[in-house]
Structure formats: C-alpha cells, structure tokens
Amino acid sequence: MNELLAERQRPPELDPAGSLIDADMGAYYGWLNQQRLAGEEKSAFLAWFEDHGEAVAIAPGMERGKQSDSPIELAELIARIA
C-alpha cells in the first residue's frame, strides 16, 4: 500500500503470497466476529480461494474437521451450507 501512495511514479511490486496471507487472516477474523453475533450456532461461513479450486466452509450441517479433495461447484457448496 505504501508503494501505491508514494509519490514515485514506478509501477508497484505485486505480492501475491503476502496478499493471500492477508486474505486468509481477514477471512479468519471475519469468522471470529461472526461468532459474536446472536444466532451464531445457525450461521454459515464460506471463504473461497478464487481461481485455485480451494475453499473453507463452516456450517451447522458440515462435518467438523473434514477435508475433501472431491471437486464441487461453488453453487452446490453454497447450497450445502445454506
């Protein structure tokens, strides 16, 4: 962000790995904040790693701690957690 706001006119350096870590932490903090709301036991949470075929889904109907390598369409995943 500093590079984008700096007065220098050179193109900013991209940091995809750092951005992914930031997004991961942002999703985690979003989930933590969601747990503070009334009715949290009925809530669902989905964080999707766009264009990489990875997601984390937390919902009352989902098995806790289960990992799957089976492909699923995003619309089907959303229907499962709704």
Side-chain angles (χ1 to χ4, degrees):
M1 184 58 93
N2 288 342
E3 290 181 27
L4 294 174
L5 298 174
E7 293 182 22
R8 293 176 276 165
Q9 295 298 320
R10 66 184 181 116
E13 293 180 28
L14 299 179
D15 180 19
S19 296
L20 180 58
I21 292 168
D22 292 345
D24 184 37
M25 292 304 299
Y28 178 67
Y29 283 125
W31 177 78
L32 284 176
N33 283 326
Q34 179 181 343
Q35 300 312 296
R36 296 179 181 148
L37 300 174
E40 56 84 19
E41 68 281 352
K42 298 176 188 173
S43 65
F45 179 81
L46 174 64
W48 170 47
F49 187 11
E50 187 176 12
D51 296 329
H52 288 83
E54 294 181 31
V56 60
I58 302 169
M62 304 288 287
E63 188 175 336
R64 185 177 286 222
K66 183 177 180 185
Q67 180 176 335
S68 174
D69 293 326
S70 301
I72 186 172
E73 293 292 323
L74 183 59
E76 184 182 343
L77 182 57
I78 291 171
R80 282 190 186 180
I81 66 171

